[in-house]
Amino acid sequence: MIWRGLRIAIVGPLPPPAGGMAGQTQQLADLLRGEGADVLLVQTNAAYRPKFVAGIRGLRALFRLCGYAARLWNAAGKVEILHVMANSGWSWHVFAVPAIWIGRLRGRRVVVNYRGGEARAFLEKSERWVRLSLSAASALAVPSGFLEKVFAEFGIGSHVVPNIVDLSRFRPPDAAGSDARSMDRSPLHPSIGLVKRTVLVARNLEPIYDIASALRAFALVQRAFPGARMVVAGSGPEEGALKSLAGTLGIAASVEFPGRLDRDQMAARYRETDVALNSSRVDNMPNSVLEAMASGVPIVSTNVGGVPYIVTHERTALLVPAGNAEEMGAAIIRLLQDREFAAKLAGAALVEVQRYTWPRVRDTLGRLYQAVLHLPSTTAHSA
């Protein structure tokens, strides 16, 4: 793939917040620019203009949609490919659909990059409308074999283009020149005793991520390790309820809620962590799992959605049923007690995460772009 001079518009949210799809959108734009591509960003979560409309419900939605459509139309006139970051529900209809059809109207190739962990439920509800929109796209890309399988169940073909993890930012403590305390906890050095037993949860404080079960699991961990601590790095509507639950469980003094952190702050937190916990009930390819793998942190995760496509139970992580705080707690305790086993998991995960580095993903994405650019102008994605 010859990147230099290739004109691409990436349509999606941008930080803040720093994680999830916004982080992947910004990261992809930066990486493609580094390859010499000419990249335009069309932000789906841009600030309201004029600012006063933000306080007027209904009017603000109209202003945002009109401004978004205008930016799309302008960008589509300057590029060869529109790369559209897409999700389920209202986000699909409000942001992805206009981008697909404006790209089609302007005669551009449109790559729809669907990333929602709730794809099956969304397709069951909106299959007709999704198919109609995809008929105007050149290709559908998904980040995992899990979503490839879900779309295949509905007879919709897709191409797997994985999420990207930045190994220059997310790396084990011994590779980062970290301090002695971080080195002590490194799973790559299991013979050295722990100074602190820290469990990190890096998900939004929303129902689908089930932080409540993570807190209940940590309460069990504290019985075995009274000095253990938990960090819940994220923001969301359940913050108040979760802090209240921590108080009820008697662990409030040992649980930190620092809010949503940027990528550098998160990287530093991973290097101070003994176990990363992902308690989600619905998932696709969580960046937090990839970042923990790259940081040399042993992982306990629920075995939902696309997670088993990223890590393997007893080889690169410990997988437990969703909503089962007892099994989550037991898995964390196992990793804190058996440092040799924790090191084995972390070492295998460090090897596995190489699949999600830019040199590997770049080639996959390049082949997809090359294919759509050589399609006849009337050819669309076969849904």
Side-chain angles (χ1 to χ4, degrees):
M1 180 72 189
I2 300 175
W3 296 101
R4 189 162 299 280
L6 181 65
R7 291 169 288 126
I8 307 163
I10 301 179
V11 182
L14 293 174
M21 192 159 74
Q24 286 291 314
T25 302
Q26 184 67 68
Q27 182 174 233
L28 179 60
D30 293 342
L31 290 167
L32 288 175
R33 285 169 176 155
E35 297 292 335
D38 184 1
V39 179
L40 293 176
L41 279 166
V42 181
Q43 186 176 358
T44 57
N45 60 342
Y48 292 103
R49 286 190 173 84
K51 291 183 178 180
F52 75 84
V53 303
I56 307 174
R57 188 172 295 180
L59 183 61
R60 64 188 182 191
L62 178 62
F63 268 74
R64 170 165 280 182
L65 185 57
C66 290
Y68 173 59
R71 293 193 302 274
L72 280 172
W73 185 266
N74 182 57
K78 300 176 180 178
V79 300
E80 299 161 84
I81 296 174
L82 270 73
H83 186 124
V84 182
M85 300 293 206
N87 209 331
S88 304
W90 66 267
S91 176
W92 171 271
H93 300 295
V94 174
F95 297 126
V97 171
I100 294 168
W101 286 103
I102 286 175
R104 175 64 174 263
L105 285 171
R106 302 221 62 172
R108 300 299 183 254
R109 309 304 188 189
V110 180
V111 174
V112 178
N113 194 176
Y114 182 89
R115 318 177 72 80
E118 297 179 279
R120 183 174 287 106
F122 177 56
L123 287 170
E124 287 172 350
K125 182 179 179 180
S126 305
E127 179 184 357
R128 177 184 175 187
W129 301 109
V130 173
R131 283 183 176 278
L132 178 62
S133 296
L134 287 178
S135 70
S138 305
L140 171 65
V142 295
S144 67
F146 164 67
L147 283 181
E148 180 185 35
K149 181 180 178 181
V150 170
F151 275 96
E153 291 172 6
F154 292 83
I156 301 173
S158 61
H159 306 263
V160 176
V161 180
N163 282 352
I164 305 158
V165 64
D166 182 358
L167 297 190
S168 68
R169 175 176 280 110
F170 296 98
R171 56 194 186 273
D174 60 337
S178 299
D179 60 25
R181 191 181 73 77
S182 293
M183 282 296 293
D184 283 351
R185 77 97 220 149
S186 174
L188 303 183
H189 299 277
S191 62
I192 303 176
L194 297 172
V195 175
K196 286 189 177 180
R197 296 173 173 89
T198 303
V199 179
L200 174 66
V201 177
R203 303 308 299 258
N204 282 340
L205 312 185
E206 299 174 6
I208 62 171
Y209 300 122
D210 195 15
I211 309 300
S213 288
L215 292 172
R216 293 187 178 97
F218 180 68
L220 300 176
V221 173
Q222 267 220 322
R223 295 178 191 174
F225 299 100
R229 297 187 58 79
M230 171 175 270
V231 176
V232 181
S235 60
E238 292 205 318
E239 181 175 353
L242 292 169
K243 288 181 176 178
S244 177
L245 176 60
T248 300
L249 294 170
I251 58 174
S254 300
V255 179
E256 179 187 358
F257 288 87
R260 183 178 281 275
L261 306 177
D262 65 28
R263 288 183 293 176
D264 289 328
Q265 291 171 322
M266 279 306 312
R269 292 285 184 156
Y270 281 115
R271 289 193 289 271
E272 299 172 349
T273 295
D274 298 288
V275 177
L277 173 60
N278 176 49
S279 55
S280 59
R281 293 184 179 273
V282 175
D283 235 325
N284 169 36
M285 178 177 278
N287 292 324
S288 59
V289 171
L290 296 179
E291 290 165 0
M293 294 168 71
S295 301
V297 181
I299 298 162
V300 173
S301 176
T302 51
N303 58 358
V304 300
V307 174
Y309 288 76
I310 307 171
V311 291
T312 303
H313 182 55
E314 297 275 352
R315 189 175 73 83
T316 50
L318 292 181
L319 300 180
V320 299
N324 194 321
E326 291 76 18
E327 291 203 32
M328 286 182 205
I332 295 168
I333 290 169
R334 179 183 176 188
L335 293 177
L336 292 177
Q337 289 177 333
D338 189 345
R339 298 306 291 164
E340 185 174 353
F341 177 63
K344 181 180 177 182
L345 288 186
L350 275 170
V351 174
E352 183 68 15
V353 82
Q354 301 301 316
R355 297 173 53 192
Y356 307 102
T357 58
W358 175 237
R360 298 283 290 274
V361 178
R362 176 190 58 204
D363 293 342
T364 301
L365 181 61
R367 286 192 294 270
L368 178 57
Y369 282 174
Q370 195 77 45
V372 301
L373 286 170
H374 283 81
L375 287 175
S377 61
T378 57
T379 301
H381 172 72
S382 55

